[in-house]
């Protein structure tokens, strides 16, 4: 059986990230107008950049999708057609949309418009796929809450409809991103593109008593109630430091919570200096499931992360490109791909709901920020001459480090034995941006990214 290679779809928050995505293997990218996509912040795409992006994409034989997937309130319905008209004139390959009213308006004005239904629309079954197909949608981005078996069933029931599946990136604690926390706390609605990631904030726990007259939960004083901080201080006092002055391993107490309706299912909570994390999802990583998704016949594999770095875009594009190519060629899964993804800052990885796992596997209870596991992005090659590459540094590295040279034509590891400043003087340490240094590299390596192996 000849397997069809699915499209590899990468995020782009800027033109440079778009170019990196294409260089490292993406077939298509998605970018959005800030006012009408779910990335109002950290989004460099205005009309001028969208025009340039579409032009460059089509010149390379690639695709450019415009994300327009907010759930609109009345004020944005009023301005939508006016603002999307100049975008449509640029001929993007598709609009990614979620709001049925806006989709209706687009189809009325541009009947031939290619529409992809956003994951925000929560498509979880084949009947809904057929509904949207009749409404003129050409591709469905399936809900993240589906298992591999459910995706396969949808493919079987809807063989002539394009389906897209998320395979990597941040996960939301809410159902397909429909979170209320950010809007509740500071009136920044996730479905309007202004999510503040309230699920990753610092939270403290306090004991409460219920008012018998009103049923209202009333906070008790800390002297009478439970305090993580007090419990930690008590735990610390019970253990001395180790001989080298480090804290005893048991000094950090882990607590378990038990939900009343699930007796015996104990879920861990750990509080560190950043706070307590009980709503903080791990990151999705499904590279090990690419082969199954290819065999199912999924049309597009999508990576999340329009606010992520250029390094993230290049690294994920390269890894998932190799996974797709291996699957189509019938080669077994290469576990090195998992190791390479550990080089990205992450909150811990999970297969999400694609496969059955223990409930605690989905959540990161220990830290609300991304952690580096294997390597650290340290620079970009800005030029090469006479055996020396000029590096624009992003993070600190030094002579003696093992560096990984990441390039579309292949990666390699080198031991950094010498380094020079731009005046040709030897230096031992390259501090972070905006320092520039030169290091010996076999070239040409223009456009390569540099990481330091940890």
């Amino acid at each position: 059986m000849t397997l069809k290679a699915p499209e590899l779809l990468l995020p782009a928050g800027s033109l440079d990230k778009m170019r990196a995505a294409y260089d490292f293997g993406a077939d298509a990218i998605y970018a959005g107008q800030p006012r009408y996509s779910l990335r109002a912040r950290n989004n460099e795409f205005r009309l001028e950049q969208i025009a340039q992006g579409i032009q460059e994409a089509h010149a390379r034989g690639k695709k450019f999708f415009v994300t327009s997937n907010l759930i609109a309130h009345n004020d944005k319905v009023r301005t939508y057609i006016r603002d999307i008209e100049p975008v449509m004139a640029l001929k993007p390959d598709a609009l990614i949309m979620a709001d049925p009213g806006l989709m209706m308006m687009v189809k009325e004005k541009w009947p031939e418009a290619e529409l992809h239904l956003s994951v925000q629309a929560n498509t979880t079954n084949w009947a809904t796929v057929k509904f949207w197909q009749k409404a003129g949608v050409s591709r469905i981005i399936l809900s993240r809450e589906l298992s591999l078996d459910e995706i396969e069933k949808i493919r079987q029931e809807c063989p002539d409809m394009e389906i897209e599946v998320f395979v990597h990136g941040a996960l939301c604690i809410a159902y397909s991103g429909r979170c209320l926390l950010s809007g509740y706390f500071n009136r920044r609605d996730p479905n309007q593109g202004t999510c503040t990631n309230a699920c990753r904030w610092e939270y403290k726990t306090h004991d409460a008593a219920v008012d018998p007259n009103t049923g209202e939960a009333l906070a008790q004083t800390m002297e009478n109630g439970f305090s993580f901080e007090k419990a930690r201080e008590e735990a610390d006092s019970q253990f001395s430091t180790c001989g080298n002055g480090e804290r005893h391993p048991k000094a950090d107490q882990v607590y378990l919570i038990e939900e009343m309706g699930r007796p015996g299912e104990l879920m861990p909570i750990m509080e560190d200096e950043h706070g307590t994390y009980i709503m903080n999802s791990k990151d999705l990583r499904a590279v090990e499931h690419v082969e199954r998704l290819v065999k199912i016949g999924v049309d597009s594999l999508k990576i999340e992360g329009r606010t992520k770095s250029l390094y993230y875009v290049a690294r994920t594009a390269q890894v998932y490109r190799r996974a797709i190519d291996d699957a189509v060629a019938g080669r077994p899964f290469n576990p090195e791909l998992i190791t390479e993804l550990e080089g990205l800052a992450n909150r811990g990885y999970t297969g999400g709901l694609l496969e059955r796992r223990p409930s605690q596997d989905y959540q990161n209870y220990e830290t609300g920020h991304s952690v580096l596991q294997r390597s650290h992005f340290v620079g970009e090659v800005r030029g090469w001459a006479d055996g020396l590459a000029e590096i624009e540094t992003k993070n600190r590295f030094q002579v003696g480090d093992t560096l990984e040279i990441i390039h579309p034509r292949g990666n390699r590891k080198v031991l950094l034995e010498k380094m020079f400043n731009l005046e040709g003087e030897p230096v031992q340490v390259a501090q972070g941006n905006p320092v520039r240094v030169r290091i010996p590299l076999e070239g040409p390596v223009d456009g390569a990214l540099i990481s330091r192996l940890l």
Side-chain angles (χ1 to χ4, degrees):
M1 179 179 69
T2 302
L3 296 176
K4 172 189 170 185
E7 167 190 276
L8 178 58
L9 179 57
L10 267 289
S14 68
L15 288 169
D16 283 343
K17 293 173 188 177
M18 177 197 76
R19 295 168 187 136
Y22 292 147
D23 288 345
F24 282 86
D27 301 300
I29 66 96
Y30 59 102
Q33 280 183 300
R35 179 169 165 80
Y36 299 104
S37 76
L38 299 195
R39 291 295 182 271
R41 298 173 295 130
N42 303 321
N43 184 351
E44 295 181 15
F45 279 96
R46 303 298 187 269
L47 187 63
E48 180 182 353
Q49 287 77 25
I50 291 174
Q52 185 174 345
I54 292 173
Q55 182 181 14
E56 290 187 24
H58 292 172
R60 298 177 66 155
K62 306 287 188 176
K63 292 185 177 182
F64 188 110
F65 303 143
V66 173
T67 304
S68 190
N69 63 338
L70 88 164
I71 306 299
H73 289 226
N74 288 330
D75 64 326
K76 290 185 178 177
V77 173
R78 178 177 53 83
T79 60
Y80 183 74
I81 291 297
R82 179 199 71 192
D83 291 346
I84 203 68
E85 189 165 13
V87 175
M88 296 299 291
L90 300 172
K91 300 189 182 305
D93 293 282
L95 292 183
I96 300 173
M97 303 187 70
D99 189 298
L102 298 186
M103 294 167 70
M104 175 188 70
M105 294 166 66
V106 167
K107 275 296 188 181
E108 286 175 349
K109 189 168 180 63
W110 298 282
E112 303 304 315
E114 191 96 356
L115 299 186
H116 295 177
L117 187 70
S118 171
V119 71
Q120 292 290 308
N122 308 126
T123 304
T124 58
N125 64 77
W126 57 264
T128 303
V129 172
K130 289 181 178 292
F131 168 85
W132 285 112
Q133 188 173 18
K134 288 183 178 180
V137 172
S138 57
R139 178 186 294 185
I140 303 293
I141 305 168
L142 294 177
S143 171
R144 290 185 178 95
E145 287 73 29
L146 294 177
S147 69
L148 290 166
D149 290 342
E150 289 176 305
I151 293 170
E152 185 169 22
K153 178 65 174 177
I154 290 172
R155 173 80 292 167
Q156 292 168 351
E157 296 291 336
C158 308
D160 56 345
M161 185 60 162
E162 290 188 19
I163 57 175
E164 181 175 304
V165 173
F166 274 94
V167 292
H168 196 92
L171 290 172
C172 183
I173 194 65
Y175 199 94
S176 282
R178 294 193 171 214
C179 180
L180 296 176
L181 286 176
S182 181
Y184 175 78
F185 283 125
N186 54 9
R187 299 184 184 275
R188 293 193 177 180
D189 188 346
N191 291 112
Q192 302 299 307
T194 54
C195 181
T196 55
N197 296 115
C199 59
R200 310 195 204 284
W201 290 356
E202 175 182 349
Y203 291 91
K204 302 294 185 183
T205 59
H206 300 276
D207 233 2
V210 176
D211 187 317
N213 298 317
T214 65
E216 181 182 2
L218 303 174
Q220 294 182 339
T221 62
M222 296 309 293
E223 287 76 18
N224 298 326
F226 175 80
S227 164
F228 269 118
E229 201 60 45
K230 183 178 180 182
R232 160 167 281 180
E233 291 173 2
E234 292 175 353
D236 289 349
S237 68
Q238 296 174 18
F239 300 100
S240 61
T241 59
C242 300
N244 58 4
E246 295 179 355
R247 289 159 59 85
H248 191 283
K250 291 186 178 181
D252 289 324
Q253 179 66 45
V254 176
Y255 302 90
L256 298 174
I257 59 172
E258 183 181 34
E259 199 270 322
M260 184 176 64
R262 293 170 175 79
E265 293 185 20
L266 302 181
M267 294 176 287
I269 298 179
M270 185 181 221
E271 183 175 87
D272 62 14
E273 67 272 18
H274 301 289
T276 327
Y277 310 100
I278 59 175
M279 296 178 288
N280 181 43
S281 176
K282 291 182 178 180
D283 291 342
L284 173 65
R285 184 202 67 207
V287 68
E288 60 267 49
H289 300 303
V290 165
E291 181 180 7
R292 172 84 186 276
L293 291 166
V294 169
K295 289 179 177 177
I296 287 171
V298 171
D299 296 280
S300 180
L301 302 184
K302 187 172 193 172
I303 292 171
E304 182 278 338
R306 276 179 287 157
T307 62
K308 297 291 183 65
S309 68
L310 184 146
Y311 177 63
Y312 171 94
V313 170
R315 191 65 131 168
T316 53
Q318 186 182 60
V319 168
Y320 280 87
R321 176 80 272 157
R322 288 166 57 193
I324 290 171
D325 293 346
D326 285 348
V328 172
R331 293 187 288 267
F333 175 69
N334 181 359
E336 289 183 8
L337 299 180
I338 292 178
T339 304
E340 291 186 18
L341 290 173
E342 291 293 344
L344 297 171
N346 62 82
R347 296 182 178 89
Y349 284 127
T350 176
L353 297 170
L354 291 170
E355 57 183 342
R356 282 191 172 274
R357 290 176 177 268
S359 58
Q360 63 266 27
D361 184 73
Y362 302 124
Q363 298 304 113
N364 179 352
Y365 297 102
E366 298 179 4
T367 178
H369 56 277
S370 297
V371 177
L372 294 162
Q373 306 288 347
R374 176 179 175 267
S375 62
H376 196 192
F377 177 43
V378 295
E380 299 179 37
V381 176
R382 294 305 190 190
W384 181 87
D386 301 325
L388 292 176
E390 183 175 322
I391 311 297
E392 179 182 322
T393 65
K394 302 297 182 181
N395 289 290
R396 185 183 187 277
F397 63 99
Q398 64 186 22
V399 172
D401 286 341
T402 299
L403 304 179
E404 184 175 18
I405 315 303
I406 303 162
H407 194 273
R409 291 195 292 270
N411 302 346
R412 65 183 188 274
K413 298 180 180 66
V414 299
L415 177 65
L416 182 60
E417 297 178 337
K418 294 183 291 185
M419 182 163 51
F420 307 92
N421 61 24
L422 296 188
E423 288 70 42
E425 301 165 340
V427 294
Q428 292 295 307
V429 177
Q431 301 294 346
N433 194 44
V435 173
R436 290 205 179 202
V437 295
R438 292 191 175 101
I439 65 173
L441 276 184
E442 294 182 7
V445 288
D446 285 358
L449 306 178
I450 311 292
S451 69
R452 176 177 62 87
L453 298 183
L454 303 178

